[in-house]
Amino acid sequence: MTFDGVDDERLHQRFAAVAPTEVQVARMQVSVMNGYAQRPVSLWREWLGLLQARPLVNGSLVAVAAMVLIFATPLGALLRALSSLPQLQAVVSVRGDAATTKQWASRNGQNARAPASYD
Amino acid sequence: MFVFFATFYTGPSEGPADEAEVQALIRAARVGNDRAARRLYALHVARVFRAVRPMCGSEAEAEDVTQDAFITVLGSLVKYEPLAGRPFVAWVLTIAMNLARKRKARASRTEEQSLGPSASGVALEETDVLLRQKLLALLNELPERERRIVSLRYGGELTADEVAEVVGVSAANVRKICERQRQRLLQRLEESAP
C-alpha cells in the first residue's frame, strides 16, 4: 500500500466514491477491446495468430501452401536457377573470353599479331 | 520462440497482480494475447478512472478519456520500456492525464457535473452520490496542477515520488501539496457529512 498515514488512508477511501461502476467498466471494456483488436498488426504477427488459433491444422496448411508455392510456380525455377548461378557464371566467363579474342582477331586481320596476353 | 509461447499466456484472470505479473501480461499483450490485454485493463481501469474523473467535466468525458487512454496504451505497448522504480500504471496514468488535458484544451470545461444514476447507468446509494458530488466540487476548487497531484496520489494510488515524475515537480513539493490539501479536503468533507 502506498499510504502510510491514517489521514492518507482516509482520503484514499473517500476517492472510492469516484470509482467507475461495473456498468461503466464493462462499457469501456467493449470499446477498449475493439480498439485493441483493430490496432495495426504486422503480417508475421497475423501468421503467428493463425498458428496460435489452430496449430496443427493451420501449420499443415502453411506447409502445403509453401510446397505448392515452390514447386508449382516460377518461384521454384527461379530458386533452382539461383542455386546453379556459380556454374553459370563460370560458363559465361569462359565463353566471354573466347568471344573477345575472336572479335579482336576479326578487327585486326588474321595476320595481325595478337597482344602479348594472347601469345 | 518466446514470442510464440507468449501468445499462449495463461496466468490468473482475477485478483491482484504484482509488477512481475504485470510485465508478463505486457509481453503477452504485445504479441496479440487478448486475455492478457483484458487483464491489464481490468487491473488498472479503476485507478485510471479515479485519477482522471476530477480532471473531467462529466462522467461521460471521464469514460471517454479512460477508454482512449487504454486504447492508446494497448496499441503502443511496443514503445513501453520498463524502468526501475516506475510501475506500469504510472505510464498509463501519464497517458491518461495528457489525454484529459488535451481534451480540456479542445473543449472548454463544462460545468455539468452530472452525477446521478443516469450518468453511470446504475442507481447509486444517495450518500455515495452526495459524497461523490461533494468531493468533485471540492477538487474542482483546486488549481489544476494541485488537482492533478491529489488525483494521482489518492485516485491513482501512486507514491509521492511517482507523482513527482508524472507531473514534473519535486517529490518534496508533491508531499507538501498533498499534506495541505488532504487536511483541507477531509475537514470540508466532514463538515458537510450528514
Side-chain angles (χ1 to χ4, degrees):
Chain A
M1 180 50 75
T2 57
F3 303 102
D4 36 15
V6 177
D7 285 348
D8 253 5
E9 186 59 44
R10 271 171 63 207
L11 188 54
H12 172 240
Q13 283 169 1
R14 297 287 187 280
F15 262 80
V18 290
T21 61
E22 281 179 22
V23 175
Q24 283 175 308
V25 170
R27 198 162 47 205
M28 287 187 283
Q29 184 173 331
V30 172
S31 306
V32 169
M33 294 315 292
N34 280 343
Y36 179 68
Q38 285 166 10
R39 75 199 188 288
V41 179
S42 59
L43 192 62
W44 75 270
R45 277 194 181 149
E46 284 192 23
W47 279 89
L48 200 66
L50 275 178
L51 289 177
Q52 185 198 2
R54 289 192 302 173
L56 283 177
V57 177
N58 287 346
S60 318
L61 284 173
V62 166
V64 169
M67 301 298 268
V68 168
L69 199 69
I70 290 170
F71 293 110
T73 66
L75 185 68
L78 186 68
L79 288 174
R80 279 194 294 277
L82 284 174
S83 67
S84 60
L85 198 61
Q87 293 169 3
L88 195 68
Q89 274 176 339
V91 171
V92 167
S93 70
V94 168
R95 283 186 182 169
D97 282 353
T100 311
T101 312
K102 212 172 175 181
Q103 272 178 5
W104 186 87
S106 67
R107 204 165 43 236
N108 297 294
Q110 287 296 327
N111 298 327
R113 275 192 70 179
S117 60
Y118 291 106
D119 286 344
Chain B
M1 209 57 188
F2 161 75
V3 169
F4 186 74
F5 285 113
T7 58
F8 289 99
Y9 173 81
T10 54
S13 56
E14 281 182 14
D18 58 5
E19 193 58 24
E21 196 198 322
V22 169
Q23 294 301 326
L25 288 166
I26 292 166
R27 285 192 292 274
R30 260 183 197 157
V31 291
N33 186 310
D34 283 3
R35 196 172 157 212
R38 200 171 293 118
R39 175 115 167 96
L40 275 177
Y41 166 80
L43 281 172
H44 299 108
V45 65
R47 287 168 80 174
V48 173
F49 188 88
R50 281 198 308 259
V52 155
R53 179 64 189 90
M55 311 304 297
C56 300
S58 66
E59 293 281 307
E61 195 183 327
E63 264 185 57
D64 284 350
V65 169
T66 306
Q67 75 187 31
D68 287 353
F70 274 99
I71 291 169
T72 308
V73 163
L74 294 175
S76 51
L77 281 175
V78 281
K79 294 182 198 161
Y80 170 71
E81 284 176 29
L83 297 173
R86 193 171 187 222
F88 173 68
V89 71
W91 185 63
V92 180
L93 283 167
T94 306
I95 290 171
M97 284 294 178
N98 285 340
L99 283 173
R101 206 162 39 176
K102 275 182 199 163
R103 186 176 270 262
K104 195 182 161 193
R106 264 206 313 268
S108 61
R109 192 175 161 79
T110 57
E111 294 298 319
E112 180 194 351
Q113 299 295 351
S114 53
L115 304 154
S118 61
S120 59
V122 167
L124 295 171
E125 290 289 326
E126 198 182 340
T127 49
D128 289 344
V129 174
L130 286 173
L131 177 60
R132 176 188 285 218
Q133 221 161 7
K134 185 73 189 168
L135 181 61
L136 289 173
L138 289 173
L139 288 167
N140 210 20
E141 290 171 11
L142 301 181
E144 196 199 318
R145 196 185 65 160
E146 296 194 6
R147 187 164 68 231
R148 197 142 43 103
I149 288 171
V150 171
S151 303
L152 286 168
R153 177 82 181 98
Y154 298 103
E157 296 177 19
L158 296 184
T159 63
D161 293 333
E162 289 158 3
V163 174
E165 210 168 307
V166 172
V167 180
V169 295
S170 70
N173 208 358
V174 168
R175 284 193 192 91
K176 205 162 70 180
I177 290 169
C178 284
E179 197 179 328
R180 191 176 61 225
Q181 296 305 336
R182 183 183 63 213
Q183 285 170 353
R184 182 183 153 275
L185 286 169
L186 283 172
Q187 196 181 356
R188 297 275 301 274
L189 281 171
E190 273 153 30
E191 275 170 15
S192 61

